[in-house]
């Protein structure tokens, strides 16, 4: 188990992480989410032992992770950290870059292992290509394979698909995360892409200005986000004054509603006027404005006429779930 106990860290005077605590069972996957600058990379570096913490402790099983003041070579052996700037050997081949990280005691299995890892990153045909001739996304995939070469117990991924195009990204996610599960590798994945999270993470830690804003399962955070920042990590979301709904016209509070949860009706609900339609493939995201000037996004199968009037409804059940604390 990975246990992080109330850690804080600052660069010079600036606090970057404060009071972060979590525990992650062996083999579980945690996504670390938050806007850029929220402290995701710093948290991964702290776990890897690259930082001297202001306070708090980190343990893997019963072993304390010591910072750079105690470790001559930074980083722990049973852990791999795939940084945002992957440093590969440019003048050697993809296969050699991976082989360099395989154990010298298992030479006879190297070819099989390299093949297995190349399959995960879908680069079997690139085995003999020099790294300097690869695209940024391909380099990122090689960096992933290299980190997996020694089957680490913990894998720290810092935005692992940031340089990879949308086509490859989906395929890679479907190869990589089940592979890691099967191998029982504990994973912390820093990302701001909800697609990385929704089907693959067991839990999510949300950081904002270096503080833990939420730490829960995806279902909990998606269904009952405590603030818009959390809901926004899953995509677009409306924060609506509840007084828009007739039954609550006197109530001063707001609710979070995802665009697909607003029900459109011919004649009942609150009134909005269509401003714009955004094509999303399977549907349109319609941008509208309510009488009080509130802008509202909702989903519709077809585009609606600009300036057309529509009525929207929010179910009672949703009102109960999504009321934001004042
Ligand atoms: P994220 O990965 O979520 O984008 P980071 O962990 O990289 O965020 O950064 C968190 C904060 O720490 C940011 O405000 C960033 O400017 C600051 N920071 C990161 N690295 C350094 C550094 N080497 N020196 C000073 N400040 C830094
Ligand atoms: Mg980062």
């Amino acid at each position: 188990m990975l246990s992080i106990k109330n850690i804080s860290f600052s660069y010079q005077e600036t606090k970057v992480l404060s009071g972060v605590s979590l525990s992650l069972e062996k083999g579980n996957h945690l996504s670390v989410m938050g806007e850029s600058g929220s402290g995701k990379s710093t948290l991964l570096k702290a776990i890897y032992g690259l930082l001297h913490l202001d306070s708090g402790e980190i343990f893997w099983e019963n072993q304390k992770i010591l910072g750079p003041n105690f470790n001559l070579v930074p980083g722990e052996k049973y852990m791999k950290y795939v940084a945002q700037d992957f440093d590969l050997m440019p003048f050697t081949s993809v296969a050699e870059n991976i082989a360099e990280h395989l154990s010298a005691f298992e030479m006879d299995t190297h070819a099989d292992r390299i093949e297995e890892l190349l399959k995960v990153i879908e680069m079997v045909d690139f085995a003999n290509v020099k790294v300097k001739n690869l695209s940024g996304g391909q380099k990122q995939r090689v960096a992933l394979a290299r980190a997996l070469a020694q089957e680490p117990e913990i894998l720290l991924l810092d935005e692992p698909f940031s340089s990879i195009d949308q086509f490859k990204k989906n395929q890679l996610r479907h190869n990589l995360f089940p592979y890691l599960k099967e191998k029982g590798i504990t994973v912390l994945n820093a990302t701001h892409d909800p697609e990385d999270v929704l089907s693959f993470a067991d839990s999510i830690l949300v950081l904002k200005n270096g503080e833990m804003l939420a730490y829960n399962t995806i279902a909990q955070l998606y269904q009952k986000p405590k603030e818009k920042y959390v809901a926004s990590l899953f995509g677009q979301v409306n924060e609506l004054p509840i007084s828009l709904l007739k039954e609550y016209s006197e109530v001063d509070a707001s609710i979070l509603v995802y665009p697909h949860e607003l029900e459109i009706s011919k004649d009942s609900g609150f009134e909005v006027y269509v401003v714009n339609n955004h094509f999303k493939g399977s549907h349109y995201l319609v941008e509208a404005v309510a009488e009080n000037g509130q802008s509202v996004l909702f989903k519709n199968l077809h585009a609606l006429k600009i300036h057309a009037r529509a009525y929207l409804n929010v179910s009672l059940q949703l009102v109960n779930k999504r009321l934001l604390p004042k």
Side-chain angles (χ1 to χ4, degrees), residues 150-222:
Q150 280 179 358
E151 293 205 4
E153 292 174 47
I154 312 180
L155 184 63
L156 307 171
L157 299 173
D158 204 343
E159 311 215 10
F161 308 123
S162 57
S163 311
I164 297 169
D165 58 73
Q166 203 58 46
F167 296 108
K168 268 281 160 238
K169 218 188 262 190
N170 290 331
Q171 192 54 42
L172 201 54
R173 280 190 196 106
H174 282 95
N175 292 349
L176 182 67
F177 291 113
Y179 177 87
L180 296 171
K181 268 281 175 207
E182 188 190 306
K183 297 274 178 187
I185 298 173
T186 306
V187 182
L188 277 92
N189 177 21
T191 180
H192 43 233
D193 189 342
E195 295 281 321
D196 284 351
V197 176
L198 290 175
S199 43
F200 304 107
D202 300 301
S203 50
I204 306 185
L205 171 75
V206 183
L207 289 177
K208 186 180 181 184
N209 299 324
E211 292 182 25
M212 290 173 71
L213 194 62
Y215 175 40
N216 214 322
T217 60
I218 295 142
Q220 270 298 320
L221 293 185
Y222 184 82

Side-chain angles (χ1 to χ4, degrees), residues 37 40-42 84 158-159 190:
K40 302 183 295 294
S41 297
T42 308
Q84 278 172 300
D158 204 343
E159 311 215 10

